[in-house]
Amino acid sequence: MPNSTGKTTRTEAKTDKPVESSLELAVFPLPIFLLPGGRQRLRIFEQKYLTMVAHAAKGEGFIIATQDNTKSEHLSTWGTKVTIVDFNMSDDQLLEIDVEGQNLVQLHSSHRQSDGLIKSQFHDLPHWPALDYDVPNVFTAFLVQLFRDHDSIRTLYPTPDFDSPQWICARLLEMMPIPLEKKSEFTEPASFPSLVPFLNQIITGQ
């Protein structure tokens, strides 16, 4: 399957020498948004994705390609490389896996195998720099309340990092009911300063 631009895109990072990977990983197109450090529980039932999980469990991981329409012929040009951190069986006997985002990646040389599974090569993309930022205290309070109110969130994050402004803002952006296309604007390395007032307006209405 050729790698072409879909509705949800990320501007390709302008790095002088992007680190190319010869490794080829499975790509799971999903209408979810996940940043480095973020976790998500996925229900796996299609055979091609059961195969993907079997390979990913060996330590290679896989890539979640964020896009609004997973049935689209156009694969997102970017995604999040994830690793599996836990396995569960649901009450209806479906495999559930908890994954954690490791880093953002640019996809290239994507193709679809005979079983329908998409594979792609990739290179790493930079995200927000590890600089000191001040964020409103209401951000922490709002996120802490979400953890208190939702068992499913607490279960995913046994060791939340409420002291990190980047971690707090990343989790808020993931959880907020915001269009994926809008969320993707804040994956750029220089986007963090503009994310803070954006989240503040949503949380406080100001």
Side-chain angles (χ1 to χ4, degrees), residues 55-68:
H55 287 290
K58 297 176 182 178
E60 296 177 349
F62 62 93
I63 297 168
I64 292 178
T66 300
Q67 59 188 80
D68 289 305

Side-chain angles (χ1 to χ4, degrees), residues 171-188:
R171 305 296 77 83
L172 288 172
L173 184 61
E174 290 167 345
M175 297 175 190
M176 291 289 190
I178 304 167
L180 291 174
E181 190 171 6
K182 182 63 178 177
K183 290 185 178 186
S184 69
E185 295 178 9
F186 298 106
T187 60
E188 299 287 349

Side-chain angles (χ1 to χ4, degrees), residues 192-204:
F192 190 84
S194 60
L195 173 61
V196 174
F198 175 76
L199 290 175
N200 190 60
Q201 184 177 27
I202 294 175
I203 294 172
T204 68

Side-chain angles (χ1 to χ4, degrees), residues 74-102:
H74 298 288
L75 182 66
S76 175
T77 60
W78 70 279
T80 305
K81 184 178 180 295
V82 302
T83 57
I84 301 173
V85 295
D86 200 8
F87 292 86
N88 301 281
M89 290 300 293
S90 65
D91 293 337
D92 51 359
Q93 297 303 301
L94 288 178
L95 175 64
E96 294 181 335
I97 60 172
D98 294 346
V99 299
E100 180 175 280
Q102 300 300 305

